[in-house]
Amino acid sequence: MSDSATTLADLREIVRRFVEERDWRQFHSPKNLSMSLAIEAAELMEHFQWIDVAESRRVADDPAKVAGVGEEIADVLCYLLALANELDIDLSTALRDTMVKNAQKYPAELSRGRFDPPTTS
Amino acid sequence: MSDSATTLADLREIVRRFVEERDWRQFHSPKNLSMSLAIEAAELMEHFQWIDVAESRRVADDPAKVAGVGEEIADVLCYLLALANELDIDLSTALRDTMVKNAQKYPAELSRGRFDPPTTS
Amino acid sequence: MSDSATTLADLREIVRRFVEERDWRQFHSPKNLSMSLAIEAAELMEHFQWIDVAESRRVADDPAKVAGVGEEIADVLCYLLALANELDIDLSTALRDTMVKNAQKYPAELSRGRFDPPTTS
Amino acid sequence: MSDSATTLADLREIVRRFVEERDWRQFHSPKNLSMSLAIEAAELMEHFQWIDVAESRRVADDPAKVAGVGEEIADVLCYLLALANELDIDLSTALRDTMVKNAQKYPAELSRGRFDPPTTS
């Protein structure tokens, strides 16, 4: 029941079953799911819309606010899993591949404390 | 190396280490991460921007297109994991909690084949 | 009271006065306004989230639906005007400049009926 | 050539002609345009993704950065005008209607310096 004991496949299966029990794959085209994911991402942003960057860090200390944010993150994750299901994408492989590319684009020693990629000279 | 053998905690740890090696937590306020997640979600949508719903389903049959979409999904997932790390949110619990609420809002027998919640009368 | 008799400056002034009467410029940093604009854009998308491309065209024939969409478009426009006010950007000039660039990127004769830029050979 | 001398109808006509010369109305379904608008809104956010709220205000003093932001705002505006064209929505009326509702939701005297709607008691 926690992230250290739950595989990606476990969560994918929860979403897959929910969708199939409602015959919702007819709505779950990749186009629609990508829109849905973006809509939920915007709802997540609403929690941080008017507050400062520093204040957004203090949300971590407020259990009620963390719970609210957690619900929106779960909605984003739900559509992300549904999209991975529709396109049969292995998320663990995709994430690892991306992190390898990111490590090449942002070498640790050159990227410490700067968010833009180092210029090659 | 695949979703059936990878826990959420495994992926969270990959992202956590990447961020710490670059001293990037200074940029990873929840406000900034929520923007980043929405930005990546928009890049994901670009793959489906001008095509029809039916055509977006056929993306599943085109390995090159699936790979492109997979990269964007991984970018979304990366920021989602980073945000969960910053706010110490257990994603498996949040996802399961959300699905319980969704099951109440959309009872399977009343929601079959319709995407709007059933009206209570 | 209509688009043929209203200048961009007229609408900017409506938003500027509204913001100043509430002392809201303190919240209207460009960062916050860009988030707000994206959030409203997502609410606009919600109207078309689950329907097909063809069905979304038929929204034009349903006055109630057009009114609902119009409210969301107005919300997007409101933040767009507020951001132009904060950064002192002339929207008419920016729009015309962009259309000149678009015309170079998508020459009419080569772009008829295709949405991707023509390849140069 | 500036916002005080340009009507909304003038800009709508620029976009309408551009779209018709390329026979692009076939792609400009409201669903696709709403996605496009959200995608451009995300590109606008990128300019403010990693900087602080205060730093985003200082963008106003940097002509090169303002120009970059102006291009993204123009892209958002372009799709907003295209969507208004497709759905035959008068933007000036929609904006004014929205501001009337906003003035009721956020009465000036009760909303000074606070961004959440006043509670009624």
Side-chain angles (χ1 to χ4, degrees):
Chain A
M1 281 289 289
S2 80
D3 283 353
S4 54
T6 304
T7 66
L8 276 294
D10 292 334
L11 295 190
R12 292 176 71 144
E13 181 57 24
I14 291 172
V15 172
R16 187 194 317 268
R17 206 177 311 135
F18 189 93
V19 170
E20 283 186 356
E21 283 171 359
R22 283 153 189 81
D23 192 18
W24 275 3
R25 286 196 61 198
Q26 61 186 299
F27 306 120
H28 278 204
S29 67
K31 184 175 175 102
N32 288 359
L33 290 174
S34 75
M35 292 176 80
S36 302
L37 197 156
I39 289 166
E40 297 300 337
E43 293 186 10
L44 173 59
M45 273 203 297
E46 279 191 61
H47 289 259
F48 308 108
Q49 182 176 8
W50 298 118
I51 63 176
D52 198 348
V53 163
E55 196 175 340
S56 83
R57 292 189 194 273
R58 292 194 291 273
V59 165
D61 305 322
D62 184 327
K65 288 183 181 170
V66 171
V69 172
E71 288 181 32
E72 306 292 356
I73 290 181
D75 288 340
V76 173
L77 182 56
C78 180
Y79 283 122
L80 192 150
L81 296 164
L83 184 53
N85 284 344
E86 288 300 325
L87 294 177
D88 202 17
I89 289 171
D90 190 80
L91 291 169
S92 309
T93 304
L95 194 277
R96 286 187 176 96
D97 288 350
T98 276
M99 296 315 278
V100 168
K101 280 184 206 161
N102 283 342
Q104 290 166 339
K105 186 175 176 187
Y106 302 98
E109 65 278 14
L110 295 173
S111 301
R112 198 170 306 282
R114 42 179 302 169
F115 57 81
D116 45 344
T119 52
T120 56
S121 60
Chain B
M1 280 287 289
S2 80
D3 283 353
S4 53
T6 304
T7 67
L8 276 293
D10 293 334
L11 295 190
R12 292 177 70 144
E13 182 56 24
I14 291 173
V15 173
R16 187 194 318 267
R17 205 178 312 136
F18 188 94
V19 170
E20 283 185 357
E21 282 171 359
R22 284 154 189 80
D23 193 19
W24 275 2
R25 285 196 62 198
Q26 61 186 300
F27 306 120
H28 279 204
S29 66
K31 183 176 176 101
N32 288 0
L33 290 173
S34 75
M35 292 176 80
S36 302
L37 198 156
I39 289 166
E40 298 299 337
E43 293 187 9
L44 173 59
M45 272 202 298
E46 279 190 62
H47 290 259
F48 307 108
Q49 183 176 7
W50 298 117
I51 62 177
D52 197 348
V53 163
E55 197 175 339
S56 82
R57 292 189 194 273
R58 291 193 291 273
V59 165
D61 305 322
D62 184 329
K65 288 184 181 170
V66 170
V69 172
E71 287 180 33
E72 305 294 354
I73 291 181
D75 288 340
V76 173
L77 181 57
C78 180
Y79 283 121
L80 192 150
L81 296 164
L83 184 53
N85 284 345
E86 288 301 323
L87 294 177
D88 203 16
I89 289 171
D90 190 80
L91 290 168
S92 310
T93 304
L95 195 277
R96 286 187 176 95
D97 288 351
T98 277
M99 297 315 279
V100 168
K101 281 184 205 161
N102 282 342
Q104 289 165 340
K105 187 174 175 188
Y106 302 97
E109 65 279 12
L110 295 174
S111 301
R112 198 169 307 279
R114 42 179 303 170
F115 57 81
D116 45 344
T119 52
T120 55
S121 60
Chain C
M1 282 288 287
S2 81
D3 283 353
S4 54
T6 303
T7 67
L8 276 294
D10 292 334
L11 294 190
R12 292 176 71 143
E13 181 57 24
I14 291 172
V15 172
R16 187 195 316 271
R17 205 177 312 137
F18 189 93
V19 171
E20 284 186 356
E21 282 171 0
R22 282 154 190 81
D23 193 18
W24 275 4
R25 286 196 61 197
Q26 62 186 298
F27 305 120
H28 278 202
S29 68
K31 184 175 174 104
N32 287 1
L33 290 174
S34 74
M35 292 175 80
S36 302
L37 198 157
I39 289 166
E40 298 299 337
E43 294 187 8
L44 174 59
M45 272 202 298
E46 280 190 61
H47 290 258
F48 307 108
Q49 183 176 7
W50 297 117
I51 63 177
D52 198 348
V53 163
E55 195 176 341
S56 82
R57 292 188 194 273
R58 291 194 290 273
V59 165
D61 305 322
D62 184 328
K65 288 184 182 170
V66 171
V69 172
E71 287 180 32
E72 305 294 356
I73 290 181
D75 288 340
V76 173
L77 181 56
C78 181
Y79 283 121
L80 191 151
L81 296 164
L83 184 53
N85 284 345
E86 288 301 324
L87 294 177
D88 202 16
I89 289 170
D90 190 81
L91 291 169
S92 309
T93 304
L95 194 278
R96 284 187 177 96
D97 288 350
T98 277
M99 297 314 279
V100 168
K101 280 184 207 160
N102 283 342
Q104 289 165 341
K105 187 173 176 189
Y106 302 98
E109 64 278 15
L110 294 173
S111 301
R112 198 169 306 281
R114 41 181 301 169
F115 57 80
D116 45 343
T119 53
T120 55
S121 62
Chain D
M1 280 287 288
S2 81
D3 283 353
S4 53
T6 304
T7 66
L8 276 293
D10 293 334
L11 295 189
R12 292 176 71 143
E13 181 56 23
I14 290 172
V15 172
R16 187 195 317 268
R17 205 177 312 137
F18 188 93
V19 171
E20 285 186 355
E21 283 171 359
R22 283 154 190 79
D23 193 17
W24 275 4
R25 287 196 61 197
Q26 61 186 300
F27 306 121
H28 278 204
S29 68
K31 183 174 176 104
N32 287 1
L33 290 174
S34 75
M35 292 175 81
S36 302
L37 198 156
I39 289 166
E40 298 298 337
E43 293 187 9
L44 174 58
M45 274 202 297
E46 279 190 63
H47 290 259
F48 308 108
Q49 183 176 6
W50 298 117
I51 64 177
D52 199 347
V53 163
E55 197 176 340
S56 82
R57 292 188 194 273
R58 292 194 289 273
V59 165
D61 304 323
D62 184 328
K65 288 184 181 170
V66 170
V69 172
E71 287 180 33
E72 305 294 356
I73 291 181
D75 287 341
V76 173
L77 181 56
C78 181
Y79 283 121
L80 191 150
L81 296 165
L83 184 53
N85 283 345
E86 288 301 323
L87 295 176
D88 203 16
I89 289 171
D90 190 80
L91 292 169
S92 310
T93 304
L95 194 277
R96 285 188 176 96
D97 288 351
T98 277
M99 297 314 280
V100 168
K101 280 184 205 160
N102 282 343
Q104 289 166 341
K105 186 173 175 189
Y106 302 98
E109 64 278 13
L110 295 174
S111 301
R112 198 170 305 280
R114 42 181 301 171
F115 57 80
D116 45 343
T119 52
T120 54
S121 61

